[in-house]
Amino acid sequence: MTRQTPPPPRPPRRLVLGLLLLLASLVLPGTTALAQGDPSFTLVNRSGQPIREVYVSASQDQYWGHDLLQTSVLANGAAMPIRIAPGAGCLQDVRVVYADGRPEERRRQDTCRITQMVFGSAAAVQSGRQANPSFNLVNHGGQPVREVYVSSVRDNAWGEDRLGTEVLPPGRHLAVRLPAGDCVNDVRIVWMDGRSEERRRLDTCRLINLVFR
């Protein structure tokens, strides 16, 4: 009579549960990162001319930060990778300045859902032709700016201080974001020593940087 080989003993239940927990601890971190998404993307220039400045910042930030191109330019037809830390979140604002000085912006872009952002496509060119009154207010003075006001010439009041509880240190700039189409605006700043300075009836649609010294 042939003897049958007995089946191998089953591992203890506690050992099985321990292995399952170990696998979960190895898999879950990657799964969480995937769920959060990667906000990095590739910026593509199809505008027909070079791009000379590129700024990318989280939508909740009031500063554009540094020009990512620095002393370089992004030639027509070229692309550049935009590396963004996952902790910066998915909603990003992007601003480019073309060689002819015309700026173009994309606001509140969910860059976790895209791999490329193209500037200069048919839709982008049409959008770029719309009047864009937003600009950068640059402090090239020797002291901080403590208050910034910008209002349409049609308004009777200056409105709220755009710096709030912050100040604008020397060498920094503030991204002043205005609704499209309202180009003629008044600007007022107050320096840290209390001295005020105003610029009246500015066509901010033709501005990239407004410098105070």
Side-chain angles (χ1 to χ4, degrees), residues 6-104:
R10 294 183 178 180
R13 183 182 295 273
R14 289 183 178 178
L15 178 60
V16 173
L17 291 175
L19 290 173
L20 289 175
L21 289 173
L22 177 61
L23 288 173
S25 67
L26 294 175
V27 173
L28 284 177
T31 304
T32 303
L34 183 61
Q36 290 176 347
D38 182 1
S40 299
F41 64 96
T42 299
L43 190 150
V44 183
N45 180 11
R46 293 179 185 163
S47 66
Q49 62 175 306
I51 291 175
R52 72 184 190 194
E53 298 174 38
V54 173
Y55 304 91
V56 180
S57 66
S59 295
Q60 69 268 21
D61 291 347
Q62 63 174 332
Y63 299 110
W64 277 113
H66 297 293
D67 172 20
L68 299 181
L69 286 174
Q70 297 183 8
T71 59
S72 302
V73 297
L74 184 64
N76 179 51
M80 67 178 293
I82 305 296
R83 307 298 185 193
I84 303 174
C90 293
L91 290 181
Q92 303 290 324
D93 292 348
V94 182
R95 174 183 172 92
V96 304
V97 179
Y98 296 107
D100 63 4
R102 176 174 60 88
E104 185 176 341

Side-chain angles (χ1 to χ4, degrees), residues 34-178:
L34 183 61
Q36 290 176 347
D38 182 1
S40 299
F41 64 96
T42 299
L43 190 150
V44 183
N45 180 11
R46 293 179 185 163
S47 66
Q49 62 175 306
I51 291 175
R52 72 184 190 194
E53 298 174 38
V54 173
Y55 304 91
V56 180
S57 66
S59 295
Q60 69 268 21
D61 291 347
Q62 63 174 332
Y63 299 110
W64 277 113
H66 297 293
D67 172 20
L68 299 181
L69 286 174
Q70 297 183 8
T71 59
S72 302
V73 297
L74 184 64
N76 179 51
M80 67 178 293
I82 305 296
R83 307 298 185 193
I84 303 174
C90 293
L91 290 181
Q92 303 290 324
D93 292 348
V94 182
R95 174 183 172 92
V96 304
V97 179
Y98 296 107
D100 63 4
R102 176 174 60 88
E104 185 176 341
E105 297 177 5
R106 309 280 177 87
R107 302 297 182 119
R108 298 187 64 80
Q109 301 293 301
D110 186 350
T111 58
C112 291
R113 295 181 177 272
I114 65 172
T115 57
Q116 288 189 343
M117 183 180 299
V118 179
F119 282 83
S121 62
V125 170
Q126 183 178 3
S127 173
R129 287 174 180 163
Q130 295 176 357
N132 180 7
S134 299
F135 63 95
N136 291 324
L137 189 149
V138 185
N139 180 5
H140 278 180
Q143 60 180 300
V145 174
R146 75 182 191 195
E147 298 172 39
V148 172
Y149 304 92
V150 181
S151 66
S152 171
V153 293
R154 298 174 300 176
D155 296 337
N156 295 323
W158 280 111
E160 296 182 356
D161 173 17
R162 291 177 177 263
L163 286 175
T165 59
E166 305 294 327
V167 297
L168 184 64
R172 297 294 299 272
H173 67 267
L174 171 70
V176 178
R177 300 174 178 182
L178 300 171

